[in-house]
Amino acid sequence: MCDRGVGGVWGVVEMATGAGGAYWDEPGLPSVFKHSLLGRYIPQFGGMTGSREGRVVYLDGYAGEGRYESGEAGSAEIAMRVASQHLSRHQLRWTCFFTERERKSVDRLEKVAALYQPQGVDARVHHGDVDGVLEEVLHAAAGLPLFLFLDPCGLGLPWHRLTGAMAQRQSANRWPPTEFMLNFSMMAVRRLGGNARSTKGVERSSQRFDEVCGGEWWRDFFPQGADSPPDADEAVAAEYARRLEAATGMLVRSVPVAKAPGHKPVYHLVFGTWRQHGLWVFGDSAARARNAWWEKLEWVEEKNDPDTLFSTTSLIRPKPEVVTKAAVPVIAENLERLVRRGRPVKLVDHTLEVFGDYYGQVTEVAARAAVKHLHQQGKTPSNGVGKKVRDLVVEPTR
């Protein structure tokens, strides 16, 4: 369930190994964020990339049961809903692969898929490991947009399988589009870091993490027989993202999800894309999912303590409008620096430079407001009106 610059989300711990027991009763708070982000992003991925061929391929590599006992959609059903809507509204066809190791979960997932298949959704449920179906997915996605959602309850795909799949998809013109969202477990980093540091550690456990990370480099952050820096786990996550970006040539960003304010992240949700448009929409979706997470947290607190006058969450929650108000002049300054180069600036072509530290913290509304702010100051003739926000062009003054 990862940073290099998106900021933390505070939630409760999901199960580190397996997903049985009460896990499927209802979504935990990290899942609220994760599923909100997924549900906001993949419809736009399909809309942005699928119109050319009329088809999209999707893989949920650790799909679980598809739906919680509470009736709320899990990641698999979220994808099937999007596929159904895109087919009925836009004649855009999704081919959805769902893999799951637990037989009981597969049985329940198949029942969920059976609700959508009569609607024309090509939902293919596989009992087994994601690695066993990856080649089939890549074959089905030849010439078509592909999105991979990899959310294991432990360690994920080996490095060579993930980067190899991206290399197989890479082309000079970045077509067809390929993107992924994956879970990088910080709980595993800390556990395996302790294992590597101990003189009695189990070598096979460290070797398994070597496979995920693409080498033993992570062990350097946990020297054997010595104390490691308090932020060694975050350093490993940052280096993993950096190496993934270098190995794939993709734009890689990640969202850390923690247990509570001031606590270490439980996992990082890592996103990779070759397209600036993808980077823009991911940041906007992350900001909107963050707001949904806080709303859920406040609802849970009030449900558990209905007599409280002011919930703790309501007192500590960053108000979106306050964060946006603070972000607008900063984003305007970023834009001013860009237009000083003397050339028109299309916002989506400079996503990270535009948002800076506010990437993933505020929605694209803040970027439009920043253009208007710059215009009011007489620093650009562009007024920020019309078009999609990401397609706005900021002209330098003449």
Side-chain angles (χ1 to χ4, degrees), residues 134 148 150 157-167 180 182 212 240 244 248:
L134 187 56
L148 308 176
L150 305 171
L157 268 180
W159 177 269
H160 77 278
R161 292 295 281 150
L162 177 60
T163 56
M166 295 303 102
F180 64 78
L182 66 86
V212 171
Y240 175 83
L244 195 54
T248 61

Side-chain angles (χ1 to χ4, degrees), residues 87-238:
L87 180 59
S88 63
R89 297 175 185 175
H90 310 295
Q91 294 302 300
L92 174 60
R93 295 186 176 277
W94 287 59
T95 299
C96 300
F97 292 84
F98 303 104
T99 66
E100 173 55 41
R101 294 179 61 184
E102 301 294 332
R103 180 72 255 181
K104 180 180 177 182
S105 295
V106 169
D107 292 341
R108 295 185 176 183
L109 178 58
E110 287 177 336
K111 291 178 180 178
V112 176
L115 300 175
Y116 290 87
Q117 288 160 343
Q119 302 173 28
V121 175
D122 186 359
R124 309 180 187 184
V125 178
H126 294 259
H127 180 206
D129 292 328
V130 61
D131 205 13
V133 78
L134 187 56
E135 291 305 320
E136 182 182 349
V137 172
L138 293 172
H139 178 75
L144 301 174
L146 171 65
F147 191 93
L148 308 176
F149 180 61
L150 305 171
D151 183 31
C153 290
L155 299 180
L157 268 180
W159 177 269
H160 77 278
R161 292 295 281 150
L162 177 60
T163 56
M166 295 303 102
Q168 186 173 329
R169 296 281 298 177
Q170 192 170 15
S171 64
N173 62 358
R174 300 302 194 215
W175 186 269
T178 307
E179 296 182 353
F180 64 78
M181 197 181 298
L182 66 86
N183 168 339
F184 186 75
S185 173
M186 297 302 289
M187 296 172 68
V189 172
R190 290 189 282 272
R191 183 177 69 252
L192 292 167
N195 180 75
R197 192 168 56 241
S198 173
T199 56
K200 298 180 180 180
V202 179
E203 176 61 16
R204 179 56 195 141
S205 296
S206 292
Q207 289 174 352
R208 174 68 180 91
F209 201 45
D210 293 344
E211 295 170 4
V212 171
C213 293
E216 299 182 0
W217 58 264
W218 65 274
R219 302 189 193 203
D220 295 339
F221 294 90
F222 301 98
Q224 194 172 73
D227 292 334
S228 56
D231 60 348
D233 53 346
E234 287 300 311
V236 169

Side-chain angles (χ1 to χ4, degrees), residues 292-336:
W293 187 92
W294 278 105
E295 289 169 2
K296 178 71 172 186
L297 179 60
E298 192 164 354
W299 178 85
V300 169
E301 187 177 351
E302 291 173 354
K303 176 185 176 183
N304 293 336
D305 189 6
D307 296 326
T308 185
L309 185 59
F310 297 105
S311 67
T312 301
T313 303
S314 67
L315 298 176
I316 66 173
R317 175 185 177 183
K319 297 295 186 291
E321 62 274 14
V322 174
V323 178
T324 297
K325 184 177 180 180
V328 168
V330 176
I331 295 174
E333 289 179 8
N334 296 341
L335 287 171
E336 185 179 2

